[in-house]
Amino acid sequence: ANEDLVVRAARLPRPGETVLGGGLREFFGGKGANQAVAAHRVGGGLGVAFVGKLGSDGRGDKYADYLEDEGLDVSMLRRAKDSPTGVALIVVGPDGENLITVAPGANAHLSPADIEKAEDAIRGARVVLAQLEVPLETVEAAFRIAARAGVRTLLNPAPAPEGELPKGLLAWTDVIIPNRSEAEALTGVAIHSVEAAGAACAALRDAGAGSVVTTLGGEGAVFSGPEGGGHLRPPGVDAADATGAGDAFCGALAARLAGGRALSDAVGFACAAGALACTVRGAQPSLPAGDRIESLAAEMGGS
């Protein structure tokens, strides 16, 4: 969970360059919280619990109240005594593309011990969705519990770690959801085409992941799993800000799979969610409701 500090600019800066931007805006963000809120907004009677850590500061107080008001189960939301709430610094260009740097703060202190306190919730879930803005060993602890309980696990490997993912973590991952750059970092495959994305999916499955969904921004997503694979393109939209689009995709995918849908259906639904998120500025303000996603997914044959 991060507070996003966002500045829009006429263009993204090059290394060492200063670019004047517009006014500063602040939003609630962070990959885990974004994806939890995204899954919650899909609706369909699914309950969403968020396991995370905030600082014992004013930002943390505001964020905790917001998540509770949003309707998430925050009983496993922890507070760090000696670290601030995480902050993300974001520059958004005119085409909606962005540059992001994160100061993890309290997120870096979410520990396996915190996961042990959430064990009952993990065992009772339909899916567990994790990201890598918290320590790897914490994600491994959560997936170990989930895998042993037969709970479906989804991993968004963002940001991509240096080097390979631990073999054990991949073995416990039912669906891995990298974007283009993350898939390239994890496999060494340069993704310059849909076919190359398919090759990266195959490499991740060979490494131990059950199914792979590689997101390609405006080109949609390529997926591969035991039931088959394919490439789905999102519907066209007027993009304002891509911040949060990947999180909308992951949250919608998790909710659809938790509802018992096939992977191909879930990917199409998630593509529509990601596209809608690009039409609104800010991460969590952009996360769409389920009925809007259903309507747009129907246009692309994904519902």
Side-chain angles (χ1 to χ4, degrees):
N2 296 319
E3 183 167 8
D4 290 349
L5 306 181
V6 182
V7 176
R8 298 187 65 84
R11 60 180 175 81
L12 299 178
R14 295 184 293 270
E17 181 184 23
T18 298
V19 173
L20 290 177
L24 176 70
R25 300 189 68 185
E26 300 182 25
F27 302 96
F28 294 115
K31 294 184 186 300
N34 289 348
Q35 292 174 24
V37 171
H40 170 72
R41 289 185 184 171
V42 168
L46 296 171
V48 179
F50 177 57
V51 183
K53 186 163 278 189
L54 298 167
S56 296
D57 52 15
R59 283 193 173 103
D61 293 340
K62 289 191 299 181
Y63 210 147
D65 290 343
Y66 163 77
L67 290 173
E68 186 170 8
D69 290 344
E70 182 74 24
L72 273 68
D73 177 352
V74 294
S75 61
M76 289 156 288
L77 183 60
R78 309 299 177 191
R79 305 295 285 269
K81 292 182 180 179
D82 301 319
S83 293
T85 297
V87 172
L89 308 177
I90 304 173
V91 180
V92 180
D95 57 358
E97 290 299 309
N98 55 44
L99 294 175
I100 304 174
T101 299
V102 174
N107 296 296
H109 299 282
L110 186 70
S111 68
D114 295 317
I115 296 301
E116 290 176 10
K117 296 173 184 176
E119 182 171 352
D120 288 346
I122 292 171
R123 289 182 178 278
R126 295 185 186 182
V127 301
V128 171
L129 170 61
Q131 313 75 27
L132 298 183
E133 287 188 336
V134 298
L136 265 174
E137 60 266 25
T138 303
V139 177
E140 288 183 276
F143 277 23
R144 186 184 305 114
I145 293 170
R148 289 174 178 171
V151 176
R152 198 171 195 176
T153 54
L154 281 64
L155 177 64
N156 176 217
E162 296 290 337
E164 296 180 349
L165 286 170
K167 298 284 186 190
L169 180 57
L170 270 178
W172 291 319
T173 299
D174 292 312
V175 185
I176 188 169
I177 318 161
N179 65 17
R180 185 194 308 264
S181 63
E182 291 151 5
E184 289 179 345
L186 292 172
T187 65
V189 176
I191 300 178
H192 47 73
S193 64
V194 169
E195 291 75 20
C201 287
L204 284 167
R205 291 193 66 202
D206 288 343
S211 297
V212 184
V213 180
T214 299
T215 60
L216 303 174
E219 297 176 74
V222 173
F223 64 98
S224 176
E227 66 273 42
H231 172 222
L232 292 175
R233 294 184 178 275
V237 296
D238 293 327
D241 182 359
T243 307
D247 295 330
F249 184 102
C250 291
L253 184 78
R256 202 69 160 184
L257 292 176
R261 298 299 188 99
L263 182 63
S264 58
D265 173 274
V267 171
F269 185 77
C271 282
L276 283 171
C278 290
T279 65
V280 179
R281 295 177 182 178
Q284 290 188 23
S286 74
L287 301 174
D291 56 349
R292 293 185 63 216
I293 304 172
E294 290 279 8
S295 177
L296 193 59
E299 292 180 18
M300 57 181 288
S303 178

